[in-house]
Amino acid sequence: MGSLGPARRVPGRPEGSVDVGEMSNWGKRGALWADAMSHALAERYGRWALGWRWAHDEGDFDGGPVGAWCCPRHSITTQRETLARVVEALCEWRAWLERVAGWFEAYQLDPPAVADSGLCGSGPPGT
Protein backbone atom coordinates (compact mmCIF):
# COMPACT_ATOMS: atom_id res chain seq x y z
CA MET A 1 0.00 0.00 0.00
CA GLY A 2 2.78 2.40 0.90
CA SER A 3 4.28 2.18 -2.58
CA LEU A 4 1.20 3.70 -4.21
CA GLY A 5 1.70 7.37 -5.09
CA PRO A 6 -1.17 8.77 -3.01
CA ALA A 7 -0.03 6.75 0.01
CA ARG A 8 3.03 8.98 0.18
CA ARG A 9 0.90 12.14 0.05
CA VAL A 10 -1.85 11.72 2.65
CA PRO A 11 -3.08 15.27 3.32
CA GLY A 12 -2.38 16.45 6.84
CA ARG A 13 -5.37 17.45 8.92
CA PRO A 14 -5.52 21.06 10.08
CA GLU A 15 -4.30 21.30 13.65
CA GLY A 16 -6.09 22.97 16.51
CA SER A 17 -9.25 24.97 16.18
CA VAL A 18 -10.04 25.78 12.55
CA ASP A 19 -12.84 27.76 10.99
CA VAL A 20 -15.50 26.21 8.76
CA GLY A 21 -13.91 27.54 5.56
CA GLU A 22 -10.52 26.04 6.34
CA MET A 23 -12.08 22.67 7.22
CA SER A 24 -14.15 22.77 4.03
CA ASN A 25 -11.04 23.40 1.94
CA TRP A 26 -9.22 20.60 3.71
CA GLY A 27 -12.20 18.30 3.08
CA LYS A 28 -11.96 19.04 -0.63
CA ARG A 29 -8.24 18.17 -0.60
CA GLY A 30 -9.09 14.99 1.29
CA ALA A 31 -11.72 14.04 -1.29
CA LEU A 32 -9.22 14.60 -4.12
CA TRP A 33 -6.73 12.42 -2.25
CA ALA A 34 -9.33 9.65 -1.77
CA ASP A 35 -10.15 9.81 -5.49
CA ALA A 36 -6.45 9.52 -6.33
CA MET A 37 -6.13 6.57 -3.94
CA SER A 38 -9.13 4.89 -5.59
CA HIS A 39 -7.48 5.31 -8.99
CA ALA A 40 -4.16 3.94 -7.72
CA LEU A 41 -5.86 0.94 -6.09
CA ALA A 42 -7.77 0.18 -9.29
CA GLU A 43 -4.58 0.38 -11.33
CA ARG A 44 -2.77 -1.94 -8.92
CA TYR A 45 -5.53 -4.47 -8.14
CA GLY A 46 -8.18 -4.00 -10.82
CA ARG A 47 -11.53 -2.26 -11.08
CA TRP A 48 -13.04 -4.31 -8.26
CA ALA A 49 -11.03 -2.17 -5.81
CA LEU A 50 -13.03 0.97 -6.60
CA GLY A 51 -15.72 0.14 -4.02
CA TRP A 52 -13.50 0.50 -0.94
CA ARG A 53 -15.23 3.81 -0.06
CA TRP A 54 -18.83 2.51 -0.25
CA ALA A 55 -19.40 3.24 3.43
CA HIS A 56 -22.20 2.56 5.88
CA ASP A 57 -24.47 5.46 6.74
CA GLU A 58 -23.43 8.89 5.47
CA GLY A 59 -19.97 8.35 4.06
CA ASP A 60 -18.39 9.16 0.71
CA PHE A 61 -20.83 6.82 -1.00
CA ASP A 62 -23.31 5.87 1.68
CA GLY A 63 -25.45 2.79 2.10
CA GLY A 64 -22.66 0.29 1.47
CA PRO A 65 -20.98 -2.61 3.28
CA VAL A 66 -17.73 -0.87 4.32
CA GLY A 67 -17.39 0.20 7.94
CA ALA A 68 -13.67 1.03 8.06
CA TRP A 69 -14.00 4.17 5.92
CA CYS A 70 -16.48 7.00 6.31
CA CYS A 71 -15.30 10.04 4.41
CA PRO A 72 -12.08 12.06 4.19
CA ARG A 73 -13.17 14.44 6.93
CA HIS A 74 -13.64 11.62 9.43
CA SER A 75 -11.28 8.96 8.10
CA ILE A 76 -8.09 10.84 7.24
CA THR A 77 -5.92 11.38 10.30
CA THR A 78 -2.22 10.50 10.33
CA GLN A 79 -0.60 8.81 7.34
CA ARG A 80 -0.24 5.54 9.23
CA GLU A 81 -3.81 5.47 10.57
CA THR A 82 -5.29 6.56 7.25
CA LEU A 83 -3.48 3.91 5.23
CA ALA A 84 -4.48 1.27 7.79
CA ARG A 85 -8.11 2.37 7.29
CA VAL A 86 -7.74 2.13 3.52
CA VAL A 87 -6.35 -1.41 3.82
CA GLU A 88 -9.14 -2.44 6.19
CA ALA A 89 -11.79 -0.88 3.93
CA LEU A 90 -10.34 -2.59 0.86
CA CYS A 91 -10.36 -5.94 2.66
CA GLU A 92 -13.95 -5.41 3.84
CA TRP A 93 -14.99 -4.54 0.30
CA ARG A 94 -13.26 -7.62 -1.15
CA ALA A 95 -14.88 -9.89 1.45
CA TRP A 96 -18.30 -8.46 0.61
CA LEU A 97 -17.71 -8.99 -3.12
CA GLU A 98 -16.72 -12.59 -2.45
CA ARG A 99 -19.88 -13.15 -0.38
CA VAL A 100 -22.02 -11.75 -3.19
CA ALA A 101 -20.19 -13.93 -5.73
CA GLY A 102 -20.95 -16.91 -3.49
CA TRP A 103 -24.65 -16.03 -3.49
CA PHE A 104 -24.66 -15.86 -7.28
CA GLU A 105 -22.94 -19.24 -7.39
CA ALA A 106 -25.35 -20.79 -4.88
CA TYR A 107 -28.52 -19.31 -6.39
CA GLN A 108 -27.88 -19.45 -10.11
CA LEU A 109 -30.49 -18.13 -12.47
CA ASP A 110 -31.77 -20.20 -15.34
CA PRO A 111 -31.66 -17.59 -18.16
CA PRO A 112 -34.18 -19.38 -20.42
CA ALA A 113 -36.63 -19.69 -17.52
CA VAL A 114 -36.24 -16.01 -16.67
CA ALA A 115 -36.74 -15.00 -20.31
CA ASP A 116 -39.85 -17.21 -20.56
CA SER A 117 -41.29 -15.76 -17.34
CA GLY A 118 -42.09 -12.41 -18.93
CA LEU A 119 -39.91 -10.65 -16.35
CA CYS A 120 -37.50 -9.44 -19.03
CA GLY A 121 -38.55 -6.45 -21.06
CA SER A 122 -40.82 -3.49 -20.58
CA GLY A 123 -43.96 -4.66 -22.31
CA PRO A 124 -46.99 -6.35 -20.76
CA PRO A 125 -46.57 -10.02 -19.79
CA GLY A 126 -46.74 -12.39 -22.73
CA THR A 127 -45.69 -9.81 -25.33
Side-chain angles (χ1 to χ4, degrees), residues 1-12 33 36-37 40 44 78-80 82-83:
M1 179 70 59
S3 66
L4 299 176
R8 296 188 298 267
R9 298 185 308 274
V10 176
W33 177 85
M37 181 55 83
R44 168 72 59 85
T78 66
Q79 181 179 18
R80 182 182 203 143
T82 302
L83 295 179

Side-chain angles (χ1 to χ4, degrees), residues 38-51 90 93-94:
S38 292
H39 182 76
L41 289 169
E43 284 204 342
R44 168 72 59 85
Y45 300 111
R47 289 184 348 185
W48 70 265
L50 290 172
L90 187 64
W93 174 242
R94 179 62 185 225

Side-chain angles (χ1 to χ4, degrees), residues 11-96:
R13 275 182 89 77
E15 293 185 23
S17 179
V18 295
D19 65 34
V20 173
E22 185 178 353
M23 189 52 108
S24 177
N25 287 336
W26 179 82
K28 290 174 186 171
R29 287 193 310 275
L32 290 172
W33 177 85
D35 289 345
M37 181 55 83
S38 292
H39 182 76
L41 289 169
E43 284 204 342
R44 168 72 59 85
Y45 300 111
R47 289 184 348 185
W48 70 265
L50 290 172
W52 70 275
R53 292 165 58 195
W54 190 19
H56 302 166
D57 306 321
E58 297 180 12
D60 279 347
F61 307 104
D62 55 316
V66 176
W69 185 266
C70 172
C71 59
R73 185 173 183 163
H74 295 112
S75 299
I76 295 176
T77 55
T78 66
Q79 181 179 18
R80 182 182 203 143
E81 289 174 351
T82 302
L83 295 179
R85 275 191 197 95
V86 172
V87 168
E88 186 178 354
L90 187 64
C91 290
E92 276 186 88
W93 174 242
R94 179 62 185 225
W96 185 82

